[in-house]
């Protein structure tokens, strides 16, 4: 069960280099295209299949991604414009059960395209000193912007693997 929940493993917070951060930003720029490819050709029945027992459906995962990444984008902007702001977490499981999580996935794919375009444009403009700016998460504590970029590059790969591993297990060819 743990492999299905964390198919690429959990994010490991370590010191980072500028080269790593630039790699993460490149991943984030490509992510919407990768996600679009992962769900291409899936039927509504397949989109409504949980990626694991007790897990979200593929559709919920797709809608979760812009929800999560919009929050992260705003946290990034707060960290860049305020002194160690305290961010507001959100109840992602409850958001995944709201009516908009049952919409066609194309809506969230388009939103993710636009969001990642803006987000990665902002991130590529940062100076190394900006990566050291922080925000305070009420549950996780102080988070450096550089680490946050790594977390969200991982987050995209993590959920992409939920979808691609389900496709593989179910024999759903692309």
């Amino acid at each position: 069960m743990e492999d299905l929940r964390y198919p690429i493993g959990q994010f490991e917070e370590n010191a980072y280099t500028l080269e790593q951060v630039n790699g993460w930003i490149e991943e984030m720029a490509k992510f919407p295209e990768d996600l679009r490819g992962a769900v291409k050709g899936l039927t509504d029945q397949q989109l409504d299949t949980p990626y694991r027992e007790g897990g979200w459906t593929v559709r919920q995962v797709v809608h979760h991604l812009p929800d999560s990444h919009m929050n992260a984008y705003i946290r990034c902007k707060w960290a860049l414009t305020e002194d160690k702001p305290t961010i507001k977490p959100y109840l992602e499981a409850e958001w995944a059960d709201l009516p908009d999580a049952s919409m066609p996935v194309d809506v969230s794919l388009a939103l993710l395209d636009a969001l990642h375009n803006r987000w990665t444009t902002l991130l590529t403009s940062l100076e190394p000193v900006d990566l050291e700016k922080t925000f305070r998460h009420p549950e996780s504590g102080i988070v450096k912007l550089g680490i946050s970029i790594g977390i969200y590059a991982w987050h995209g790969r993590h959920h992409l693997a939920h979808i691609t591993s389900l496709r593989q297990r179910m024999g759903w060819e692309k």
Side-chain angles (χ1 to χ4, degrees):
M1 182 64 88
E2 199 63 27
D3 287 344
L4 294 180
R5 189 167 178 204
Y6 292 101
I8 65 166
Q10 296 192 41
F11 179 75
E12 294 183 21
E13 185 175 331
N14 297 310
Y16 55 85
T17 65
L18 188 56
E19 184 177 49
Q20 282 176 303
V21 172
N22 289 331
W24 291 333
I25 295 168
E26 287 177 22
E27 285 181 45
M28 292 168 67
K30 192 175 177 298
F31 176 69
E33 177 185 333
D34 293 342
L35 180 62
R36 191 175 296 279
V39 298
K40 184 177 182 178
L42 292 180
T43 66
D44 281 335
Q45 182 179 2
Q46 291 167 329
L47 288 168
D48 293 329
T49 301
Y51 72 88
R52 67 174 173 86
E53 187 176 328
W56 287 339
T57 66
V58 172
R59 185 182 311 273
Q60 287 174 305
V61 169
V62 171
H63 291 306
H64 160 72
L65 285 158
D67 287 346
S68 175
H69 292 194
M70 281 188 292
N71 274 283
Y73 172 62
I74 290 176
R75 292 169 183 175
C76 174
K77 291 187 107 173
W78 279 331
L80 291 168
T81 60
E82 298 179 21
D83 184 32
K84 300 180 188 96
T86 298
I87 60 96
K88 182 179 184 329
Y90 73 105
L91 303 173
E92 62 184 37
E94 283 79 1
W95 284 36
D97 286 333
L98 292 172
D100 63 333
S102 63
M103 295 177 68
V105 295
D106 288 347
V107 173
S108 281
L109 292 172
L111 179 55
L112 207 61
D113 284 336
L115 174 63
H116 274 246
N117 189 345
R118 286 199 54 189
W119 196 8
T120 57
T121 296
L122 175 65
L123 294 177
T124 57
S125 75
L126 299 181
E127 297 294 331
V129 68
D130 294 322
L131 300 175
E132 298 299 309
K133 293 184 177 182
T134 63
F135 60 82
R136 184 183 171 285
H137 190 292
E139 297 159 2
S140 307
I142 300 297
V143 179
K144 286 184 180 182
L145 198 49
I147 290 295
S148 181
I149 294 167
I151 289 169
Y152 283 92
W154 170 88
H155 186 254
R157 289 191 315 271
H158 166 72
H159 284 302
L160 190 65
H162 285 150
I163 297 166
T164 58
S165 65
L166 175 65
R167 282 190 85 134
Q168 185 176 22
R169 287 193 316 275
M170 300 298 280
W172 298 339
E173 299 302 318
K174 283 190 185 183

